[in-house]
Amino acid sequence: MFKRIRGLFSNDLSIDLGTANTLIYVRGAGIVLDEPSVVAVHQDVNRGGPRTVAAVGIEAKRMLGRTPGNLTTIRPLKDGVIADFVVTEKMLQHFIRKVHSRRFFNPSPRVLICVPCGSTQVERRAIRESAIGAGARETYLIPEPMAAAIGAGMPVDEARGSMVLDIGGGTSEVAVISLNGIVYSSSVRVGGDRFDDAIINYVRRNFGMLIGEPTAERIKHEIGSAYPGSEVREIDVKGRNLAEGVPRSFTLNSNEILEALQEPLSAIVSSVKLALEATPPELAADVAERGIVLTGGGALLRDLDKLIMEESGLNVVVAEDPLTCVARGGGRVLEMIDEYGPDVFATE
Amino acid sequence: MTISKPDLNDQESLGAWLREARLAHGFDIALAARRIRTRPAIIQALETDNYPALGAPVFIRMYLLRYGELLGLAEHEVLGRFKALGIDNPPPLRVADTLRPQAGSGDLRWLSYPAALALIGWLGWTVTQQLPELNADGATLPQGFELTGINPDQLTAESSPVPPIMIETPGLQAEAEAQASNHTDHIALALSEPEPDTVQSSTSTQLPVTSSGPLSSRSNGLTAMGSAIASEVESLEAIQPPEPVINEHELVLEFTDECWVEVYDADGRRLVYALLGANDRRVVQGTAPFSIRLGNAPAAQITFNGQYVEPAVHIPSRGSVNRFTLDTSHNDAQ
């Protein structure tokens, strides 16, 4: 009852609870929060007291890999699902309060959360419980590819097949959508984080240097590429030499990173090919004409569309503002839920 | 989905610009379509600015990017011209199931609140209409009962004189006067009896009366008598004169100890329904035969139409409780 009253003073939220970033979309206001899904937890080792949250989001990400003994930076989501329930709840609570600043009551919004289509019922329940624990009045879950397709502006209500590939931080989801429903979907636990890991492993193996996750991410953003191009870009990187144990500087180029990313990229391409094989023929014909739409942060990897176009033989386009497609699509679904009830778009 | 055709301004349209670029490269439409893995109709639609034929803006954007790339056009320039058309808004969401009600239940949910309030109000009004009127002191009389011997209006004002309650209770009047000093502040009002079965539970109502003021000063005798009536209200039913009955018979009950007594006459009227004490005497008149129940039969002495009834008639062989019927045959036998 009290939650309902508090709900009057809350905004409906669409949350893209991603492995790498959490985005929150508010109806009428757009994307109001885009922060890393990182929490810094403080624990007094001497006293063994309870853990307290020291920082969340951007502040916590700045601490990543640079923390003393009593501070730990945690990424509470792994492969698109919750790895640390308590920390996820705290993080969500922090974000929900942040987007409801200057309010007298604790917010109790209706929340729509996008979940990987490959997540299990247990994992979905954990996400739902986490949102309720963070103060949500009502919680709806929607498959990420559906939200991504809506956010990308695809006509999901038409009786024609539309294929979307959402490459997130922890998972890549490919789905064929028709008549507001998912005809086929598959999820591979390969995403931006695997790209970073692949770069770290490549540098260690080939250069004998150890670099951290933030450095690997920076390399990916600056010279990462999925398809060989005419232009070769380079970047200076500092890391610790494994043999000497001292920091050293070295140079990486885009072709090396392309080589490093081959394994995770081939996993994504394979999932797309599998999806095309499993798509019913009529819908496959629609997909062949309309192509594939890429969403998610992974879609920003340079020339990824070219790679998939080359491998699949279909047209591929990166959606406009692919990072926010899922959250924006969730926001539009929230409006539809108001009008048609929660069962529209296969929401739970 | 509806995408309006853009207005062509003085500048070259996007379609015309693409067409010029294609002709400059020497491509025909079929070749260009084959190069970008699409149908010639798509190329034609792009060059004639027939965007509604191309589907959602996300697909138009894809065709433009591929076509622009083929023609060596800068991506940002192609997208910039496309954005200038103002047709890049995503299509509106619609439900796929056309049979689904367009106005969901959530839209009408607000109606339930005023409806519930109206229902509660109607119920309250109905109950209020059904309730009996309250008197000035707040005492409520059940339906079917009415005050006798006193005008209720006279109880409302303390200064108004209160007429004495006139009840025929010859056997109790002396006892009532004796108890007058102990009982104050209450007036017992004898009520008319609507149904015999309900009398026991609601035969009297006690109304509080303030002890100061003219009402109490004028009615010492009244309160004394009223208190006596309150304590003996059960016996009032028995001694109230019943309706005139042809062939009435008289039954006299006397007791040497406490005894529960129930007496019904042939018409089913309850004449006695009370716990009577030692030395109590109760005279009832009614139509024979009488149906009698005695809780302590050995303590009772019964006289029927002036003739003493033998103890063997009403004293049971085992125990003390007995139920029996007295009729004129007892008199005839004796």
Side-chain angles (χ1 to χ4, degrees):
Chain A
M1 177 67 182
F2 191 61
K3 272 193 169 185
R4 278 174 177 266
I5 295 170
R6 285 193 289 150
L8 297 174
F9 302 93
S10 308
N11 297 318
D12 291 347
L13 306 178
S14 161
I15 301 179
D16 176 11
L17 191 60
T19 310
N21 293 294
T22 297
L23 285 87
I24 297 184
Y25 175 93
V26 176
R27 277 172 61 179
I31 302 289
V32 293
L33 184 134
D34 179 4
E35 294 207 22
S37 303
V38 183
V39 180
V41 177
H42 178 273
Q43 182 156 26
D44 195 335
V45 181
N46 295 330
R47 281 191 249 167
R51 297 191 301 174
T52 53
V53 174
V56 181
I58 295 170
E59 291 294 320
K61 193 175 182 185
R62 285 193 192 125
M63 301 176 184
L64 205 62
R66 298 183 173 97
T67 52
N70 60 346
L71 266 180
T72 316
T73 48
I74 296 174
R75 305 186 80 163
L77 288 113
K78 189 173 173 56
D79 297 337
V81 294
I82 290 176
D84 190 323
F85 183 84
V86 177
V87 176
T88 304
E89 190 176 308
K90 292 287 179 191
M91 185 181 75
L92 270 178
Q93 202 169 34
H94 174 84
F95 287 153
I96 289 173
R97 283 184 182 166
K98 194 169 182 179
V99 301
H100 285 91
S101 57
R102 292 174 293 181
R103 290 286 173 91
F104 181 73
F105 291 105
N106 276 340
S108 183
R110 289 191 313 164
V111 168
L112 183 137
I113 300 180
C114 310
V115 294
C117 57
S119 56
T120 63
Q121 283 296 324
V122 175
E123 290 163 344
R124 290 178 188 215
R125 185 184 171 92
I127 289 173
R128 189 191 294 273
E129 296 286 330
S130 183
I132 289 171
R137 185 168 84 252
E138 288 176 46
T139 310
Y140 307 107
L141 303 181
I142 186 173
E144 269 177 13
M146 175 62 84
I150 293 168
M154 297 172 80
V156 293
D157 59 297
E158 287 181 4
R160 298 186 71 187
S162 306
M163 182 178 268
V164 63
L165 172 60
D166 177 48
I167 305 171
T171 59
S172 293
E173 326 256 333
V174 60
V176 178
I177 295 166
S178 174
L179 292 169
N180 285 343
I182 294 177
V183 179
Y184 171 86
S185 71
S186 74
S187 176
V188 286
R189 303 209 165 186
V190 176
D193 289 349
R194 282 289 294 276
F195 294 164
D196 297 343
D197 290 344
I199 292 171
I200 291 170
N201 291 334
Y202 180 85
V203 169
R204 189 175 57 202
R205 202 168 49 242
N206 293 283
F207 291 83
M209 301 287 289
L210 196 60
I211 58 171
E213 278 182 35
T215 306
E217 195 174 4
R218 186 167 62 88
I219 294 167
K220 180 180 70 178
H221 287 163
E222 292 192 15
I223 63 166
S225 175
Y227 196 76
S230 55
E231 184 191 2
V232 176
R233 282 158 285 117
E234 291 185 343
I235 185 172
D236 284 332
V237 180
K238 294 181 180 66
R240 179 160 59 89
N241 189 294
L242 284 169
E244 300 173 4
V246 293
R248 287 275 182 262
S249 179
F250 60 101
T251 304
L252 284 170
N253 66 44
S254 55
N255 285 339
E256 288 166 339
I257 300 305
L258 173 64
E259 188 184 342
L261 296 177
Q262 279 308 301
E263 187 190 335
L265 286 174
S266 60
I268 292 171
V269 169
S270 296
S271 73
V272 173
K273 286 181 176 175
L274 279 172
L276 289 169
E277 284 174 19
T279 303
E282 288 299 320
L283 295 177
D286 297 335
V287 172
E289 184 177 326
R290 295 172 151 203
I292 303 170
V293 177
L294 299 188
T295 64
L300 293 172
L301 185 66
R302 189 172 286 107
D303 292 336
L304 181 62
D305 53 340
K306 280 185 184 172
L307 174 72
I308 295 171
M309 199 156 47
E310 189 68 30
E311 293 287 336
S312 66
L314 302 175
N315 278 324
V316 178
V317 66
V318 179
E320 211 167 356
D321 197 6
L323 268 169
T324 63
C325 276
V326 173
R328 281 187 289 123
R332 295 185 71 194
V333 170
L334 261 179
E335 294 167 13
M336 292 293 279
I337 285 175
D338 269 352
E339 201 170 348
Y340 298 104
D343 60 332
V344 72
F345 297 112
T347 44
E348 295 175 16
Chain B
M1 177 179 28
T2 57
I3 298 174
S4 59
K5 201 168 180 175
D7 295 330
L8 296 176
N9 51 24
D10 297 338
Q11 292 180 338
E12 192 178 33
S13 74
L14 177 58
W17 181 56
L18 291 171
R19 187 167 179 276
E20 276 183 18
R22 177 176 63 80
L23 294 174
H25 280 82
F27 296 148
D28 62 357
I29 289 179
L31 178 63
R34 201 163 48 249
R35 288 277 184 92
I36 66 166
R37 298 164 178 163
T38 189
R39 293 181 289 123
I42 301 289
I43 303 294
Q44 279 180 334
L46 284 172
E47 291 185 354
T48 56
D49 295 314
N50 185 14
Y51 299 108
L54 296 170
V58 65
F59 299 125
I60 301 172
R61 191 166 160 272
M62 181 179 67
Y63 298 134
L64 284 172
L65 283 173
R66 294 284 84 81
Y67 197 32
E69 190 182 1
L70 172 71
L71 301 176
L73 302 174
E75 182 180 315
H76 65 88
E77 195 173 353
V78 174
L79 290 180
R81 286 187 177 226
F82 175 59
K83 279 185 185 295
L85 298 176
I87 58 170
D88 56 340
N89 289 327
L93 287 180
R94 292 173 303 189
V95 291
D97 183 0
T98 53
L99 293 178
R100 188 190 291 268
Q102 294 296 303
S105 58
D107 293 337
L108 302 175
R109 204 174 299 155
W110 63 273
L111 279 176
S112 62
Y113 297 108
L117 282 175
L119 181 66
I120 291 168
W122 178 78
L123 283 172
W125 181 81
T126 307
V127 170
T128 308
Q129 294 299 310
Q130 299 277 338
L131 283 174
E133 289 182 4
L134 299 175
N135 62 16
D137 293 315
T140 307
L141 295 178
Q143 275 187 315
F145 288 81
E146 58 182 7
L147 291 168
T148 57
I150 188 167
N151 182 2
D153 294 336
Q154 291 172 317
L155 287 174
T156 59
E158 288 188 356
S159 57
S160 62
V162 178
I165 298 173
M166 302 303 292
I167 300 175
E168 293 291 329
T169 54
L172 295 174
Q173 194 159 1
E175 188 181 345
E177 287 175 358
Q179 295 176 357
S181 58
N182 297 327
H183 299 279
T184 57
D185 299 342
H186 287 87
I187 297 174
L189 300 175
L191 304 173
S192 66
E193 182 178 343
E195 289 178 12
D197 291 344
T198 58
V199 169
Q200 178 62 24
S201 60
S202 59
T203 49
S204 68
T205 300
Q206 293 186 336
L207 299 177
V209 176
T210 53
S211 57
S212 60
L215 176 64
S216 60
S217 62
R218 289 184 186 184
S219 57
N220 284 339
L222 172 68
T223 56
M225 188 165 63
S227 301
I229 293 167
S231 63
E232 296 292 338
V233 67
E234 303 296 340
S235 61
L236 281 175
E237 315 151 358
I239 59 175
Q240 276 178 347
E243 293 177 5
V245 178
I246 304 171
N247 296 326
E248 261 195 356
H249 300 273
E250 187 183 69
L251 184 69
V252 179
L253 301 166
E254 293 173 300
F255 299 93
T256 57
D257 201 353
E258 274 196 338
C259 179
W260 172 259
V261 185
E262 288 181 37
V263 178
Y264 296 89
D265 70 358
D267 299 329
R269 290 185 304 164
R270 190 165 67 193
L271 305 178
V272 182
Y273 188 85
L275 179 65
L276 300 180
N279 302 320
D280 277 354
R281 184 173 187 272
R282 188 64 60 90
V283 180
V284 295
Q285 290 182 330
T287 311
F290 293 105
S291 176
I292 302 170
R293 174 180 286 185
L294 298 173
N296 185 13
Q301 291 177 352
I302 302 173
T303 305
F304 183 50
N305 287 337
Q307 291 192 0
Y308 181 71
V309 177
E310 289 294 326
V313 175
H314 62 84
I315 296 177
S317 57
R318 289 181 62 186
S320 59
V321 179
N322 196 16
R323 183 171 189 166
F324 58 97
T325 305
L326 269 180
D327 58 11
T328 51
S329 63
H330 287 278
N331 295 78
D332 299 340
Q334 290 174 5

